[in-house]
Structure formats: C-alpha cells, structure tokens
Amino acid sequence: MSAAAAPLRPRTEAPAFVPEAADADENVPPPPASASHLGVLDASMTNELLLICGAIGSTDPRSGAFVPVPDCVNWLQDLQRAIRRDDDARRPVTLALHGLRVVPCRLLPLLHSLRDDRPVCTTLVKIFVMLTRPLGGAAAATGRACVDVAAMGRE
C-alpha cells in the first residue's frame, strides 16, 4: 500500500446474512454507517432480501471458496423480481442491497464460482444492469439519509 493511499476503514459489523467472516472482502471498503438502508423497507421485504441473500450460497471456511446452493438460479431470479418491484422514486431495495454489501460479498463470488454456468451468469448480468440504473433525486437523498441501525434491532 502506497503512502498516498487512504487506509481502509475497519468493519464495525458484519451483514446479518453473512454467517462466516470469510465472506467479507478486505479489499472492498464497507459503506459508511449512514448507507445502511434497511430502515426504508417494510419488514416483509427486508426478510425476503435477507432470505434470498442467505440462500444463494456460503463461503467454505476451509478453502475460502464460495459454494453456491444447487438451485441458486431460482434464488437469483427471486432477487431479480425483488429489484424489478423496487420503487423507482426511492429505490429502497437497491439501497438496502448496497447497505448489505450483496454485490461484493455474494454476487461477485457467485459469478466467479459459476462462470461457466450460462443461466446463472445471464441472470447475474441482468441483476447487475438493474442495480446500475442511475438514482433519481429522491433516491439519492434517501441514500444520503442517516438510518439508526441499532434502533431497528430493538423494534
């Protein structure tokens, strides 16, 4: 690391769906605490996202490789449907997926593991395209809003 490069901030908490610490990529800095946007979703959608993200696969603690579940393409299609249903004005699902670090911790390792599986790769590319749509004004303001994550756990 060069002297000019800024050091990575230490992670303060792991996303709720990550049971293993090996899922955290140390090269990807965590989003700021204000970027955790689970508070803008209703409880059922939050539970659905956490279920989908947890069911895609996990990291093998011995080898460190990402191990997808056999029917991960079905779970990815569920994620695709959830993103498609996202409110275009505020984009709470997209912002929640960013706060949960789904792309660097789940989707990119899955793409790397199943790079020869055409249906999985096609579905992942569709998800990546949907996640990279530009944010509107209201969604950008929501993305900068501070959400008290500690208070959400007490509800």
Side-chain angles (χ1 to χ4, degrees), residues 80-142:
Q80 186 179 355
R81 280 188 284 277
I83 297 169
R84 195 177 296 131
R85 291 189 316 248
D86 202 4
D87 176 30
D88 284 336
R90 294 184 309 127
R91 305 265 304 272
V93 173
T94 301
L95 294 171
L97 292 174
H98 167 72
L100 291 170
R101 298 173 34 95
V102 172
V103 172
C105 293
R106 294 292 176 160
L107 301 183
L108 290 177
L110 179 64
L111 181 63
H112 182 71
S113 296
L114 298 176
R115 60 184 165 268
D116 296 326
D117 189 339
R118 189 177 182 108
V120 170
C121 291
T122 303
T123 305
L124 281 169
V125 168
K126 289 177 183 179
I127 290 170
F128 293 149
V129 168
M130 289 190 296
L131 289 175
T132 57
R133 291 181 299 170
L135 292 175
T142 303

Side-chain angles (χ1 to χ4, degrees), residues 13 32-40 142-152:
E13 62 181 356
S34 63
S36 181
H37 303 288
L38 293 175
V40 296
T142 303
R144 289 187 296 271
C146 183
V147 177
D148 186 8
V149 180
M152 289 174 29

